Amino acid sequence: MSPTLSFHDIRKYIQTLSEAERSLISEGVTLLKLVLVLPSTNAVSERSCIAMRPLKTYPRTTMKQKRLNHLLLLHVHKDHTDNFSCVEVANSFVSNSEHRLSVFGHFH
């Protein structure tokens, strides 16, 4: 049976290692953290690709990446965005600037 190591024993062993060997331990810890946060499936990325199919149609092939990202966010989170009131969003937009308010006025 192998002896049980204490935290103090492990610390002393690590202190005896060279700087290069210690940096490898640091890299190992980083790798372990990355493995622990990996998703177990790729369902989220699959849903995103499936959501992009109806948005990226032939007439929209010249769409910039930023706009496509915004449309995908709206599409993926449509359960939240369906509850928005367009009138409230428009009034919030024009109330942020006197110039906008003078051009657009209030929405009803």
Side-chain angles (χ1 to χ4, degrees):
M1 187 181 336
S2 63
T4 305
L5 294 174
S6 70
F7 179 76
H8 180 70
D9 297 331
I10 295 170
R11 193 182 90 188
K12 278 193 340 188
Y13 172 72
I14 291 173
Q15 287 174 340
T16 63
L17 297 175
S18 69
E19 188 66 34
E21 291 171 324
R22 277 188 266 172
S23 72
L24 287 176
I25 291 175
S26 172
E27 294 297 321
V29 168
T30 302
L31 180 63
L32 184 60
K33 287 178 182 179
L34 289 172
V35 168
L36 290 174
V37 298
L38 280 174
S40 58
T41 66
N42 64 349
V44 173
S45 60
E46 291 283 334
R47 263 186 261 130
S48 298
C49 289
I50 291 170
M52 188 171 63
R53 192 172 298 138
L55 292 176
K56 188 76 175 188
T57 59
Y58 178 74
R60 293 182 174 160
T61 55
T62 59
M63 185 184 323
K64 301 281 187 210
Q65 187 65 41
K66 188 174 179 180
R67 182 176 178 144
L68 180 63
N69 288 346
H70 291 153
L71 283 173
L72 280 171
L73 274 173
L74 289 172
H75 183 76
V76 168
H77 298 289
K78 67 181 171 187
D79 53 329
H80 298 294
T81 57
D82 285 347
N83 298 329
F84 285 151
S85 164
C86 291
V87 172
E88 288 178 26
V89 172
N91 282 327
S92 175
F93 173 74
V94 297
S95 67
N96 287 338
S97 166
E98 285 295 322
H99 176 67
R100 290 182 196 159
L101 187 58
S102 66
V103 171
F104 296 109
H106 285 288
F107 294 91
H108 302 286

